[in-house]
Amino acid sequence: MQARDSNPPDGGYGWVVVVSAFMVTGLTAAVLKTFGLFFVEIQQHFDELASTTSWITSVTIAIFHLGAPVASSLCVRYTHRAVVITGGLLAFSGMAGMALGFLGLNMVWMYATTGFLQGLGISFSWTPAISIVSHYFSKKRALANAVASAGECAFAFTFGPFFQWLIGQYGWKGALLIIGGIQLNICVCGVLMRPLASSCLLEPSHSETETPPGNGASRIDKEDKSPITHQTFNWMLVRRPEFVLYAIFGILAAMSFFVPPLFLVPLSYSLGIDESWTASLLSVLAMADFAGRLLCGWYASLHVSKTIHLLTMTITLISTSLMLLPLANNYLSLAIFTGFYGFFFGTTVAVHITVLADVVGMPDFDSALGLFMLIRSTGGFVGPALAGLIVDMAGDYRAGFYMAGATLEINSNREKEEVRLILNQKSQHLVTLDQLQQRKGRSQTNTKPEKSTLPYHSVHLLKLQ
């Protein structure tokens, strides 16, 4: 079974899976990213505070993350294909149920539909789509993940003006119903995500024909009947310090990443920017994000530097750009700062899943992705709501961006040790994680080669001080 995991095709039908994942991320994450267009409409319709309205996004993000381990365990138990199709149906139910408002349209109903059902649908679609791409690729994993995740940028680029047009033509409720129908295409993408064991893992089986005739056929038959989905979900990853360190990074990052798309449109309105130009800011964000993902994914695939080094640098740059964004006072400056933020955000997203795979190894990757999303959910749940509360207290949407930038700055202060990481091999969070990974690599050369993770008892964190 591990032989199969260690020999992904790095191409072939894998690119079909990448394109399908590209579509899935576009139909899930891009919808969440452009939900800011509905923020003002919903707030005015219910006459609620920004903090109350922002809980819709907070619930969606929280369920998106909380559902990840469930989605991962279902992928392990069944197939990625089945879980993606289920996610598409749930996403449609969330949008359609909210728009139709069977039980009366109010904020609680919004939390239950757009928040819970849509979040669960996104989780069941996005998590297995990203996971299966990593199974199909090894050497080109960074590039494949970058292309797959770039779907949310490409779709967000068109979704901004398209959703604004839908709101103008059909109202915000009609627009959400149409968006739910569009999300049914996730099911079509899920059908194309063929399980790895049934397609490209025949090559290791053919190599077994070299074995003696007496048992070669039985070994091949046994291999073919033991797909990788027969693994069990590994909850013990939380005992690995390198995984815990990476999860802490995820919490602080999630507190900030979902705030700018939510408050970018309201901020532009507060600056007096015409409504026709507002949606274009989301397109600028999407284009810059798209460029950052592809360029960083391509660079990472060259293996010039470690992906964890890239990640620490991009976190520092994204926190700086986020603190500069609220300084804009007109459309041009806002578009420029938005572009900087989008580009560095894209570079971060392009490599963080690849770093996770490097941290835990592919045998435990499905479990690690689910647990990582679960732990990160605390940041995604608190971030938008906290930013909304600060906006209400300050009476200025800029305050939300400063809060997001300050939170990332706390994270980047640890990752700002990137230069010292290269020179001195000392830092915290991702820097400490990098040193643990180096130790793991050295221990593997001196122990059994089949061990893919560092035993918990062999890590001496005190030596890092």
Side-chain angles (χ1 to χ4, degrees):
M1 184 168 67
Q2 289 190 7
R4 294 185 172 210
D5 272 341
S6 61
N7 293 280
D10 262 320
Y13 193 81
W15 292 114
V16 177
V17 174
V18 169
V19 172
S20 299
F22 178 92
M23 298 289 292
V24 170
T25 58
L27 293 171
T28 54
V31 172
L32 183 59
K33 181 178 288 188
T34 53
F35 192 75
L37 289 169
F38 295 89
F39 185 90
V40 175
E41 298 287 337
I42 296 173
Q43 184 181 10
Q44 292 177 349
H45 178 83
F46 292 104
D47 192 23
E48 295 285 355
L49 296 173
S51 56
T52 303
T53 308
S54 63
W55 274 105
I56 299 174
T57 301
S58 290
V59 172
T60 306
I61 295 170
I63 297 301
F64 169 32
H65 289 80
L66 290 171
V70 179
S72 294
S73 61
L74 289 175
C75 290
V76 170
R77 181 66 180 85
Y78 300 102
T79 64
H80 295 78
R81 170 189 285 170
V83 181
V84 171
I85 293 174
T86 303
L89 295 175
L90 286 170
F92 167 74
S93 301
M95 287 297 192
M98 193 287 305
L100 296 176
F102 294 115
L103 301 180
L105 196 59
N106 52 47
M107 290 304 294
V108 175
W109 182 249
M110 295 286 291
Y111 298 152
T113 53
T114 306
F116 182 81
L117 286 178
Q118 179 69 196
L120 195 62
I122 291 175
S123 182
F124 276 36
S125 304
W126 185 92
T127 305
I130 293 298
S131 175
I132 195 172
V133 169
S134 292
H135 282 291
Y136 266 91
F137 290 85
S138 178
K139 294 180 180 179
K140 300 177 182 177
R141 184 175 295 148
L143 178 60
N145 279 325
V147 174
S149 67
E152 70 176 85
C153 313
F155 278 70
F157 175 74
T158 56
F159 277 177
F162 177 58
F163 287 0
Q164 191 174 54
W165 178 81
L166 286 178
I167 293 172
Q169 293 292 317
Y170 304 102
W172 65 271
K173 289 184 285 186
L176 289 177
L177 182 60
I178 294 173
I179 293 169
I182 295 174
Q183 286 183 309
L184 281 174
N185 287 285
I186 294 173
C187 300
V188 179
C189 298
V191 172
L192 296 175
M193 293 180 179
R194 189 166 63 192
L196 189 59
S198 65
S199 57
C200 51
L201 292 176
L202 298 176
E203 189 173 334
S205 298
H206 292 323
S207 64
E208 298 292 347
T209 58
E210 309 265 340
T211 58
N215 59 1
S218 63
R219 290 184 63 182
I220 295 175
D221 186 66
K222 184 178 180 180
E223 271 298 302
D224 287 339
K225 291 182 179 180
S226 58
I228 58 176
T229 53
H230 285 175
Q231 301 172 5
T232 57
F233 193 86
N234 186 6
W235 293 96
M236 290 299 101
L237 286 169
V238 295
R239 297 185 61 185
R240 298 184 189 174
E242 63 269 29
F243 175 76
V244 173
L245 286 168
Y246 196 68
I248 294 173
F249 151 75
I251 293 173
L252 295 175
M255 286 185 66
S256 304
F257 285 170
F258 296 101
V259 173
L262 181 62
F263 291 112
L264 184 60
V265 172
L267 175 63
S268 67
Y269 288 157
S270 68
L271 294 176
I273 297 175
D274 187 79
E275 184 177 318
S276 59
W277 288 95
T278 299
S280 65
L281 289 173
L282 296 177
S283 297
V284 170
L285 178 63
M287 282 193 300
D289 189 354
F290 184 81
R293 295 187 194 216
L294 293 186
L295 285 176
C296 190
W298 168 77
Y299 180 77
S301 68
L302 298 178
H303 303 288
V304 176
S305 60
K306 293 183 179 180
T307 52
I308 195 169
H309 288 185
L310 284 176
L311 185 58
T312 51
M313 287 189 289
T314 58
I315 285 294
T316 301
L317 292 170
I318 194 176
S319 63
T320 303
S321 62
L322 192 54
M323 293 296 288
L324 292 174
L325 194 148
L327 300 178
N329 55 13
N330 54 49
Y331 174 81
L332 180 60
S333 59
L334 188 59
I336 292 174
F337 287 132
T338 298
F340 278 121
Y341 167 75
F343 181 83
F344 294 126
F345 176 81
T347 58
T348 301
V349 174
V351 295
H352 84 288
I353 295 297
T354 302
V355 171
L356 179 61
D358 294 339
V359 168
V360 300
M362 284 311 301
D364 288 322
F365 177 71
D366 284 329
S367 301
L369 182 59
L371 285 174
F372 176 74
M373 297 294 288
L374 173 64
I375 297 171
R376 199 177 76 163
S377 65
T378 56
F381 183 73
V382 172
L386 179 60
L389 178 61
I390 294 175
V391 166
D392 286 337
M393 294 174 61
D396 190 346
Y397 285 107
R398 290 186 180 91
F401 289 88
Y402 285 127
M403 168 265 165
T407 304
L408 260 187
E409 190 65 26
I410 295 173
N411 209 14
S412 66
N413 278 338
R414 298 168 184 255
E415 280 105 40
K416 277 179 183 177
E417 302 293 326
E418 169 61 18
V419 176
R420 297 180 206 172
L421 168 85
I422 299 173
L423 298 176
N424 304 322
Q425 291 296 313
K426 281 187 178 182
S427 185
Q428 302 176 35
H429 278 187
L430 296 180
V431 175
T432 306
L433 174 62
D434 178 62
Q435 199 162 12
L436 289 174
Q437 287 301 102
Q438 290 182 4
R439 290 189 178 193
K440 182 174 72 173
R442 289 196 296 268
S443 68
Q444 285 176 345
T445 60
N446 298 324
T447 57
K448 295 180 181 180
E450 65 270 19
K451 289 186 177 181
S452 61
T453 57
L454 187 65
Y456 178 74
H457 59 79
S458 67
V459 179
H460 304 290
L461 291 175
L462 293 178
K463 291 184 180 181
L464 299 177
Q465 304 300 326

